Amino acid sequence: MVTLLLDATRLEVVLSSFERTLARRSEPVRVERSHISKVQLTDDAWTWLRGVPNPGTRVRGTVAMGTWRSAGAADFVVVRRRHAAVVIDLDGDPEFERLVLTTRHGLALVQALHLETDDAATEVTEIVAAAGDAPPAPTGATKPARAPRPRRAPKPATV
């Protein structure tokens, strides 16, 4: 999952080497904090994808990483499977109009954006923990339990 660093002026999305390879991007994504217009949490990031990867990688239902271009817009996407994600709408950013990121720290990011931070880039979970507004720890299961499958009748024997 991506690492989100936040300071007084900008948000930085730091990618692992695997993510940099799939996203076909060598540098972290840096967004001025003043360009962030809206932050939303979502359970299904796949519904937020628009356009095609250019450059980027998509394996349907598994991974989508890179720059996604549509008619007149460019989004930066790091989506893995069906995990919770954060959608960040940008206003006035020269590179992207939206960031769609699979992260378990989406709630911490929303809380950290409301807090005043210092000039040193700090991971969003540390900012929230220092303020005493730490999000609740995950309880283990993130998906609801599935109902058991109905049993099929055995096939009759043939002679």
Side-chain angles (χ1 to χ4, degrees):
M1 305 251 174
V2 297
T3 301
L4 303 171
L5 302 176
L6 185 66
D7 65 16
T9 59
R10 71 177 172 196
L11 170 68
E12 186 171 338
V13 180
V14 181
L15 305 172
S16 68
S17 58
F18 176 70
E19 292 166 338
R20 283 193 309 266
T21 302
L22 291 180
R24 298 185 183 155
R25 184 176 180 92
S26 59
E27 295 294 318
V29 175
R30 294 180 181 94
V31 174
E32 293 299 318
R33 197 168 172 170
S34 61
H35 292 168
I36 298 173
S37 62
K38 185 166 52 169
V39 180
Q40 302 173 66
L41 301 176
T42 180
D43 287 334
D44 187 9
W46 294 93
T47 61
W48 290 88
L49 298 183
R50 58 184 180 186
V52 294
N54 183 17
T57 303
R58 178 182 181 195
V59 177
R60 185 179 300 270
T62 304
V63 70
M65 292 186 193
T67 302
W68 287 64
R69 299 197 189 276
S70 61
D75 301 340
F76 184 74
V77 174
V78 177
V79 175
R80 292 183 182 203
R81 302 209 183 261
R82 298 277 178 204
H83 298 293
V86 62
V87 179
I88 304 169
D89 289 324
L90 306 174
D91 187 26
D93 189 70
E95 192 173 8
F96 300 113
E97 289 190 15
R98 182 188 291 168
L99 304 177
V100 182
L101 309 169
T102 300
T103 179
R104 67 184 127 220
H105 304 299
L107 182 59
L109 174 64
V110 172
Q111 291 174 339
L113 285 171
H114 290 292
L115 300 173
E116 293 297 321
T117 57
D118 56 6
D119 291 336
T122 310
E123 193 166 345
V124 295
T125 54
E126 294 174 14
I127 293 170
V128 174
D133 296 335
T139 58
T142 57
K143 294 182 181 179
R146 291 196 301 184
R149 288 184 172 179
R151 298 193 125 213
R152 294 184 189 178
K155 293 182 180 180
T158 57
V159 181

